[in-house]
Amino acid sequence: MIQKPKGTYDIYGGEKAKKLLYIENLLVTLMQKYNYEYFRTPIFEASELFHRGVGETTDIVSKETYDFKDRGDRMMTLRPEGTAGVVRSYIENKLYGGVMPLKTWYYGPMYRYERPQSGRFREFYQFGIEVFGTNDPMTDAEIISIAVNFYKLLGLKGIKVNINSLGDNESRETYRQALVEYLEPYIDELCEDCKDRYTKNPLRILDCKVDKDTDILKNIPKTIDYLNEDSKAHFEAVQAYLKELQIEFVINPSIVRGLDYYTHTVFEVEANVEGFGSQNVLCGGGRYNNLVETMDGPSTPGVGFAMGLERLLTALEFEKIELDYDKGIDLYVIPMSESEKLKAITVTQFLRLNGFSAEIDYMSRNLKNNFKQADRLNSKFVVIIGNEEVETGILTIKNNETKEEYKVKLDEIIDFMDKMLGE
Ligand code: HAM
């Protein structure tokens, strides 16, 4: 038997599918309210995009990409994240020529060849947003508030927002020098990867999974101690906006993020509930004021985040949160015999096209089994169609909970159901 690839999963109907669709619908309406535009970029891109965008020395690019040569001998990569593709699209479609800021959102599968474990998949879904064209710290605060408000709308309580700042180019350079000086005496004690990172990209040592518990890393200089005046002012303004928006946060100097493109604000939202497991980062992002230029576009500030859908579902389960989606259907239509099927399918279609969720008996069940099926489907009402109903055009409708029975003319069924369901 052929099995699904390691680190992937199927959604095959049921409650999980309903939850997911509910969350996706909520995302769409939330993005409309915040006035973001929907973006969809390819799932595979030229490998170079991620090498230059995300960074050659990051774990994501150096160890985790799915790369392949297409039949035209081009190196392609399944996208490990969404930002690089959206930036490419921004540049390629010359969107910088439009009205700024450009506020975008996207949703879709991402691919990373990571060691699968709970909360960590090789194919996973991200919802993300990217905002181009403004360096206003209000934007940094707004995107953090979007993530938090979304979690709150769903009912999550155990979340913690960690923020930090890497500063602008000047501050980053001062920090890089401080880091190199600090690490120099310890080079021999670092893991092999970190020795390499020391010369190529010392900042990446901060997210080393091997050395993370050593005293060397615990006492490492903090980026916020090396911010110049502008960067400090930016970071303080972000905090002031967050306070005003009543978004609780902590400054956590260890948040540097595993991707190369960040400047100024970086943040992560974690599930802050006991026993959640090690993969507790629900969402992460930050500002990337150099990225568009690095990708050969005109200098444009940017800021964004992405959240994993799988970890969100786990967090909802963990906090035992019941989402408010319809747990059943409005009507179940029962043709009493073969000869009423034509009428029954017409009535069912009529109901469906007029806004009700309706199901019909496809299995020629007897009446008793049909009522069982209506219960299984959690149907609020049952419509019975026998030869009398076909002749008179008056339907028998039963409230499946109270068992009350009504006689309703076919052309009045929509008004009747509207009244019954209180719409
Ligand atoms: P990231 O931190 O690599 O950031 O991923 C964002 C979120 O995706 C994580 O917080 C996590 O919820 C989810 N995630 C990442 N890897 C996995 C995995 N293997 N399995 C399940 N979930 C996962 C980015 O991707 C940046 N592009 C975010 C961003 C947008 N920054 C600015 N704009």
Side-chain angles (χ1 to χ4, degrees):
M1 186 186 56
I2 299 169
Q3 295 187 333
K4 62 182 178 303
K6 213 171 149 184
T8 67
Y9 60 91
D10 300 320
I11 297 276
Y12 35 92
E15 291 305 302
K16 198 158 183 178
K18 285 186 186 148
K19 275 187 201 171
L20 205 54
L21 290 175
Y22 175 87
I23 292 170
E24 289 170 1
N25 284 333
L26 193 67
L27 280 174
V28 174
T29 38
L30 193 71
M31 286 297 91
Q32 278 166 347
K33 304 236 163 84
Y34 276 91
N35 193 32
Y36 278 65
E37 297 201 47
Y38 178 59
F39 264 48
R40 192 151 75 186
T41 60
I43 284 172
F44 65 96
E45 298 264 9
S47 301
E48 194 197 342
L49 177 72
F50 303 109
H51 286 252
R52 276 172 58 193
V54 178
E56 209 86 58
T57 48
T58 59
D59 274 3
I60 295 177
V61 167
S62 63
K63 298 182 184 160
E64 297 168 3
T65 51
Y66 278 89
D67 302 313
F68 63 97
K69 246 187 196 162
D70 74 6
R71 288 171 198 268
D73 237 13
R74 304 171 194 92
M75 270 317 289
M76 294 288 162
T77 295
L78 295 183
R79 62 180 184 194
E81 57 101 56
T83 313
V86 174
V87 168
R88 181 208 40 74
S89 169
Y90 172 81
I91 299 168
E92 189 171 342
N93 297 301
K94 299 191 174 54
L95 303 179
Y96 42 81
V99 180
M100 289 291 135
L102 176 66
K103 297 165 47 178
T104 75
W105 73 278
Y106 53 89
Y107 174 75
M110 308 290 159
Y111 300 85
R112 295 185 192 175
Y113 194 82
E114 293 194 88
R115 195 171 49 78
Q117 64 180 87
S118 157
R120 200 204 265 156
F121 297 88
R122 289 185 172 169
E123 180 187 70
F124 58 97
Y125 275 68
Q126 275 187 352
F127 155 66
I129 68 183
E130 314 294 348
V131 180
F132 297 99
T134 171
N135 188 38
D136 193 323
M138 186 170 78
T139 334
D140 309 32
E142 185 183 272
I143 66 151
I144 298 173
S145 72
I146 291 176
V148 173
N149 289 337
F150 178 61
Y151 291 139
K152 282 187 185 160
L153 269 179
L154 286 168
L156 279 186
K157 292 194 175 64
I159 54 169
K160 183 175 165 201
V161 180
N162 296 287
I163 65 169
N164 190 21
S165 174
L166 308 181
D168 58 9
N169 291 345
E170 188 187 82
S171 312
R172 279 172 52 122
E173 183 47 32
T174 323
Y175 177 70
R176 201 189 68 82
Q177 280 167 16
L179 199 59
V180 171
E181 267 169 41
Y182 167 80
L183 287 168
E184 208 201 327
Y186 306 115
I187 297 176
D188 290 343
E189 296 169 49
L190 297 173
C191 75
E192 286 311 306
D193 277 351
C194 280
K195 284 187 186 125
D196 196 37
R197 290 171 182 137
Y198 180 80
T199 45
K200 289 189 182 147
N201 189 356
L203 196 71
R204 289 279 65 85
I205 294 177
L206 276 85
D207 44 56
C208 175
K209 285 158 193 141
V210 181
D211 288 334
K212 73 176 185 334
D213 294 324
T214 61
D215 285 342
I216 309 174
L217 256 76
K218 281 183 185 154
N219 301 320
I220 209 155
K222 300 182 170 91
T223 56
I224 38 172
D225 293 335
Y226 295 85
L227 300 181
N228 60 15
E229 287 309 311
D230 279 358
S231 303
K232 233 186 254 172
H234 187 102
F235 194 40
E236 274 160 18
V238 173
Q239 295 173 54
Y241 281 116
L242 285 175
K243 281 184 191 145
E244 202 56 36
L245 290 169
Q246 303 190 333
I247 304 294
E248 282 178 37
F249 61 88
V250 293
I251 297 175
N252 183 342
S254 71
I255 305 283
V256 289
R257 312 275 301 128
L259 305 91
D260 271 353
Y261 45 62
Y262 294 109
T263 53
H264 288 290
T265 319
V266 283
F267 79 98
E268 283 181 0
V269 182
E270 60 179 52
N272 191 26
V273 273
E274 256 208 34
F276 190 82
S278 61
Q279 302 304 308
N280 67 343
V281 182
L282 299 178
C283 157
R287 187 163 271 291
Y288 46 85
N289 286 352
N290 302 325
L291 183 58
V292 177
E293 218 174 338
T294 311
M295 306 303 294
D296 304 328
S299 171
T300 311
V303 65
F305 73 75
M307 62 171 66
L309 268 289
E310 295 75 13
R311 292 182 196 176
L312 171 58
L313 282 176
T314 311
L316 290 168
E317 269 164 35
F318 210 84
E319 289 196 31
K320 299 196 171 49
I321 291 170
E322 283 275 329
L323 298 179
D324 186 25
Y325 55 81
D326 218 338
K327 303 268 178 337
I329 56 169
D330 295 327
L331 300 112
Y332 181 68
V333 182
I334 305 174
M336 291 293 281
S337 69
E338 285 301 303
S339 50
E340 285 89 33
K341 274 187 162 173
L342 281 176
K343 189 75 182 170
I345 187 77
T346 320
V347 171
T348 312
Q349 171 176 272
F350 184 60
L351 287 163
R352 288 167 172 165
L353 296 182
N354 279 284
F356 298 99
S357 51
E359 184 57 297
I360 186 170
D361 169 31
Y362 300 96
M363 308 294 289
S364 305
R365 295 182 168 91
N366 64 30
L367 198 59
K368 191 171 149 221
N369 285 338
N370 260 326
F371 270 99
K372 267 195 199 153
Q373 178 70 356
D375 287 343
R376 267 196 292 265
L377 294 172
N378 238 322
S379 187
K380 296 185 189 93
F381 287 84
V382 174
V383 185
I384 299 159
I385 303 185
N387 58 12
E388 198 189 313
E389 279 81 6
V390 174
E391 268 165 32
T392 59
I394 295 175
L395 307 176
T396 305
I397 300 186
K398 213 168 175 170
N399 182 320
N400 202 26
E401 203 185 317
T402 62
K403 305 294 171 206
E404 233 168 308
E405 209 173 279
Y406 307 87
K407 295 285 181 191
V408 183
K409 279 195 198 143
L410 181 55
D411 55 5
E412 287 171 7
I413 189 170
I414 301 303
D415 282 348
F416 172 80
M417 285 308 300
D418 275 343
K419 231 178 279 156
M420 282 290 148
L421 295 172
E423 282 156 0

